[in-house]
């Protein structure tokens, strides 16, 4: 039973303490599914979310396509073959099937719960797209109905652990300013990826917090080189939805028409000057109406800036999405999405998606499917684990966060704004993270390495300063892992393209596993099924 | 980013304070919230979607604050437009129920054929 008590610790501030079987950190799709799944498996569940379960994360403000393949053996085999080829053979057939099965079954549930999927002429529900606000508002209802206690505006700052593994987390409530502690037998990290505050739609809450918290208790990361994702948006806006640009003509600054469906062409043209688009291929009122009722959020920036996107050229840009539309994250070592640390599970974009995706995401549809499935598996795994280890009450748990949280060696005040600006300079530019090359990446890595000591000072005392200092530390750590892995994979595979090595190298058909913070180590790991390059 | 909280429309329910993913607003239930950290706004439009009385307006610019005029926003129909598009609120049809995304592929093929 989760009980609320207030303790004044001998050291540190007064905090509200709760107990639960399972703590889920993060309230995007993966966290919501994890919490629902853990509760359904009999666990008492607390979910903490930095923002609000329903609005927070990359999915809620816009929407997401979904990998939805009916259980027809021919269709399924084709989908698997497709994923294996795209994934550079770093994924596993069994995991691809698990995701295809899991998402198919889960979307039927979503409809049962009340999502109004459109049907075709034969009455078959078309479940390959979810409108984000509707989906996540529904998931909040479902999670609450399952008995989960939701703590909104409650960012987690660090995990609790003892010799037996992880046992909860601490953080603060942004509305009350009070600290909280949730003691739980198992923890699911569903904190999303890291998009380095690039203002892609909904992505500014995704600062790699869970990757840092996981690494601090010894969890490993994998696939961090597969983090070369950028999304298109209006130059001045935030809506990173790419699909409708298939209905546009794209122009470089000099008026040259750019090829459609080519992120490369847009990126290269942006290095030379502005890029413009106009949705002139939708040339009738019917076509325009159809577009408007699909990715409706796409039109907000234009309608509100007084631009008619069907007739007037508008400037577009690419916003860095880092690991969010990438692959890398905490390494999973079991079907239940466990990490190598007892009691610690990962789901959604906080987890490495390599086992299902391989070296490429292939877009939102795959990550949305992964969020659902990995959330369900992690929630169930955590619930089962909590039952086997029993209550946390008597454990001698300690908070284990360091960078951005606890000063070391008498270091001064963390200048979180300066660190954030510096780490963004070494990650966000196309010249660094899109057009990857060894000399540029080496320089960027040395710069982000040099930022690591800068996050070991004292954080400010305000709510915003405390959260931002920890986010800054997480972004620095994530940048170091990303650049380290990108330099280690001396080939091009999936979404990782390195200028000096434009081809896939059969000798590198392995994953790259990272660990450590002060000292980062990296090792190759064979793909379990032995996928050939 | 967020530019307007209409004191005339606001019913001081506190929902936007709770819903904002990046904690931009301050204010207790029972008072009109303040835009306390505008530069933290990620221009995700979620506060607008959730505001039951269309008291909020998010301008489309990610990195700059622009002046807005409530009367103009109301006259042009922009105030509350995202919630209306989503079909949230009594008597409206939800966007999800009329979502045309599944038909985009077919439309693309049609355009390719006629090109």
């Amino acid at each position: 039973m989760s009980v609320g008590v207030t303790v004044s610790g001998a050291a540190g501030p007064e905090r509200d303490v709760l107990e639960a079987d399972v703590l889920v950190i993060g309230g995007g799709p993966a966290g919501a599914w994890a919490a629902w799944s853990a509760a359904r498996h009999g666990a008492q569940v607390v979910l903490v979310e930095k923002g609000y379960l329903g609005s927070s994360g990359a999915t809620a403000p816009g929407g997401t396509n979904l990998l939805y393949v009916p259980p027809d053996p021919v269709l399924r085999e084709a989908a698997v073959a497709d994923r294996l080829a795209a994934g550079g053979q770093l994924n596993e057939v069994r995991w691809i099937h698990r995701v295809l099965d899991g998402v198919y079954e889960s979307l039927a549930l979503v409809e049962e719960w009340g999502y109004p999927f459109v049907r075709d002429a034969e009455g078959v529900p078309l479940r390959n797209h979810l409108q984000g606000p509707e989906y996540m508002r529904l998931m909040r209802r479902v999670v609450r109905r399952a008995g989960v206690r939701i703590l909104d505006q409650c960012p987690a700052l660090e995990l609790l652990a003892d010799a037996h593994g992880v046992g909860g987390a601490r953080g603060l409530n942004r509305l009350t300013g009070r600290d909280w502690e949730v003691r739980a037998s198992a923890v699911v990290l569903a904190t999303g990826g890291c998009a380095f505050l690039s203002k892609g739609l909904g992505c500014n809450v995704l600062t790699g917090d869970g990757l840092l918290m996981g690494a601090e208790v010894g969890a490993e990361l994998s696939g961090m080189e597969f983090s070369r994702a950028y999304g298109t948006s209006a130059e001045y806006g935030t809506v990173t939805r790419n699909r409708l640009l298939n209905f546009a003509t794209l122009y470089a600054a000099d008026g040259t028409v750019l090829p459609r469906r080519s992120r490369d062409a847009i990126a290269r043209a942006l290095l030379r000057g502005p890029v413009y688009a106009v949705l002139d291929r939708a040339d009738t009122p019917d076509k325009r109406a159809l577009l408007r009722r699909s990715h409706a959020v796409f039109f907000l920036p234009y309608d509100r800036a007084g631009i008619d996107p069907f007739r007037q050229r508008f400037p577009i840009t690419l916003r860095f999405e880092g690991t969010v539309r990438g692959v890398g994250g905490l390494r999973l070592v079991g079907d239940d999405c466990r990490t190598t640390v007892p009691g610690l599970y990962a789901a959604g974009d906080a987890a490495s998606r390599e086992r299902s995706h391989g070296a490429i995401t292939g877009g939102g549809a795959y990550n949305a499917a992964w969020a659902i499935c990995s959330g369900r598996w992690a929630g169930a795994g955590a619930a089962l684990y909590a039952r086997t280890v029993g209550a946390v009450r008597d454990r001698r748990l300690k908070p284990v966060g360091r960078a951005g949280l606890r000063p070391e060696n008498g270091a001064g005040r963390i200048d979180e704004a300066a660190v954030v600006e510096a780490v963004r300079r070494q990650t966000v530019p196309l010249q660094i993270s899109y057009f990857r090359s060894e000399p540029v990446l080496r320089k960027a890595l040395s710069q982000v390495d040099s930022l690591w000591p800068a996050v070991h000072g004292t954080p400010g005392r305000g709510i915003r300063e405390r959260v931002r200092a920890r986010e800054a530390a997480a972004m620095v750590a994530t940048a170091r892992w990303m650049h380290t892995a990108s330099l280690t994979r001396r080939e091009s595979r999936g979404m990782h393209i390195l200028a000096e090595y434009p081809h896939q190298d059969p000798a590198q058909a392995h994953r790259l596993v990272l660990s450590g913070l002060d000292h980062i180590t990296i090792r190759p790991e064979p793909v379990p099924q032995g996928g050939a390059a | 980013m967020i530019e307007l909280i209409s004191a005339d429309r606001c019913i001081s329910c506190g929902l936007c304070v709770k819903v904002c993913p990046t904690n931009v607003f301050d204010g207790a239930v029972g008072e009109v919230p303040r835009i306390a950290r505008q530069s933290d706004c990620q221009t995700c439009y979620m506060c607008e979607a959730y505001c039951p009385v269309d008291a909020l307006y998010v301008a489309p610019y990610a990195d700059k604050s622009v002046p807005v005029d409530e009367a103009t926003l109301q006259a042009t129909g922009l105030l509350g437009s995202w919630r209306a598009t989503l079909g949230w609120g009594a008597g409206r049809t939800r966007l999800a129920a009329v979502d045309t995304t599944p038909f985009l592929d077919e439309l693309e093929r049609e355009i390719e054929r006629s090109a």
Side-chain angles (χ1 to χ4, degrees), chain A residues 490-513:
Chain A
R490 301 170 86 180
E491 63 162 349
S492 292
R493 184 182 296 267
M495 71 191 297
H496 172 67
I497 311 281
L498 193 55
E500 290 80 1
Y501 308 93
H503 303 294
Q504 190 164 302
D505 170 14
Q508 295 182 61
H510 48 243
R511 297 180 186 149
L512 292 174
V513 177

Side-chain angles (χ1 to χ4, degrees), chain A residues 197-256:
Chain A
L197 298 174
S198 302
K199 293 194 178 162
L201 192 62
C203 287
N204 268 26
V205 292
L206 309 171
T207 46
D209 310 358
L211 307 186
L212 175 60
M213 287 190 276
E216 282 171 337
V217 292
E220 298 172 313
L221 299 116
S222 188
M224 292 300 286
E225 67 277 32
F226 306 119
S227 49
R228 198 176 143 261
Y230 287 76
T232 49
S233 76
E235 184 276 327
Y236 55 83
T238 57
V239 180
T240 36
R241 297 216 72 185
N242 307 307
R243 176 75 184 278
L244 295 192
L245 286 184
N246 289 356
F247 297 89
T249 306
L250 301 168
Y251 299 92
D254 61 7
T256 324

Side-chain angles (χ1 to χ4, degrees), chain A residues 100-411:
Chain A
L100 288 168
D101 289 346
V103 72
Y104 186 83
E105 180 197 314
S106 300
L107 287 168
L109 274 176
V110 169
E111 183 159 31
E112 241 172 68
W113 290 333
Y115 189 92
F117 283 109
V118 170
R119 287 162 187 273
D120 69 10
E122 275 89 54
V124 178
L126 303 170
R127 298 182 185 138
N128 57 6
H129 183 251
L130 286 164
Q131 296 286 353
E134 196 68 44
Y135 172 36
M136 291 313 296
R137 188 173 69 164
L138 174 67
M139 288 311 295
R140 182 181 182 89
R141 265 204 301 272
V142 167
V143 168
R144 286 183 71 131
R145 228 184 284 138
V148 173
R149 179 153 181 193
I150 303 169
L151 304 180
D152 300 299
Q153 299 292 345
C154 281
L157 295 178
E158 59 181 327
L159 295 177
L160 300 172
D162 62 11
H164 304 290
V166 165
R170 280 185 182 175
L172 65 96
N173 183 322
R174 299 203 286 198
L175 299 184
T176 63
R178 293 176 62 82
D179 284 53
W180 54 260
E181 175 175 298
V182 178
R183 301 166 72 89
S185 304
V187 174
V188 179
L189 286 170
T191 46
C194 183
F196 298 92
L197 298 174
S198 302
K199 293 194 178 162
L201 192 62
C203 287
N204 268 26
V205 292
L206 309 171
T207 46
D209 310 358
L211 307 186
L212 175 60
M213 287 190 276
E216 282 171 337
V217 292
E220 298 172 313
L221 299 116
S222 188
M224 292 300 286
E225 67 277 32
F226 306 119
S227 49
R228 198 176 143 261
Y230 287 76
T232 49
S233 76
E235 184 276 327
Y236 55 83
T238 57
V239 180
T240 36
R241 297 216 72 185
N242 307 307
R243 176 75 184 278
L244 295 192
L245 286 184
N246 289 356
F247 297 89
T249 306
L250 301 168
Y251 299 92
D254 61 7
T256 324
V257 173
L258 299 172
R260 260 185 299 279
R261 295 185 193 83
S262 169
R263 202 63 48 87
D264 275 358
I266 296 174
R268 271 195 299 272
L270 279 170
L271 293 183
R272 299 193 306 269
V275 172
Y276 298 93
V278 55
L279 300 177
D280 55 358
R281 302 181 82 214
D283 55 3
T284 66
D286 283 354
K287 290 176 193 163
R288 289 175 199 136
L290 192 141
L291 260 52
R292 278 193 175 274
R293 289 216 313 254
S294 62
H295 295 198
V297 73
F298 177 91
F299 294 95
L300 287 184
Y302 310 111
D303 294 344
R304 289 173 184 219
I307 294 171
D308 175 354
F310 296 108
R311 294 181 183 86
Q312 287 171 274
R313 293 184 190 185
F314 49 89
I316 60 168
T317 193
L318 287 171
R319 292 191 179 271
F320 190 40
E321 296 173 315
T323 71
V324 173
R325 217 187 284 252
V327 173
L330 294 161
R331 176 173 171 248
L332 304 180
V333 294
D335 281 8
D336 56 1
C337 295
R338 68 179 68 179
T339 68
T340 50
V341 179
L344 187 65
Y345 297 74
D349 295 348
S352 171
R353 290 140 277 176
E354 272 174 314
R355 301 195 73 166
S356 134
H357 297 13
I360 196 166
T361 51
Y366 297 94
N367 282 349
W370 170 257
I372 293 173
C373 297
S374 61
R376 289 186 68 169
W377 300 329
L384 213 64
Y385 180 83
R387 206 176 308 150
T388 59
V389 296
V392 286
R393 192 154 308 164
D394 302 324
R395 286 171 64 177
R396 302 183 62 172
L397 294 159
K398 288 205 168 67
V400 295
R402 288 175 50 216
L405 204 54
R406 292 195 172 77
E408 284 173 20
N409 310 322

Side-chain angles (χ1 to χ4, degrees), chain B residues 52-69:
Chain B
V53 291
D54 301 327
L56 305 173
Y57 181 72
V58 179
Y61 308 101
D63 299 308
K64 66 172 181 190
S65 178
V66 296
V68 299
D69 173 59

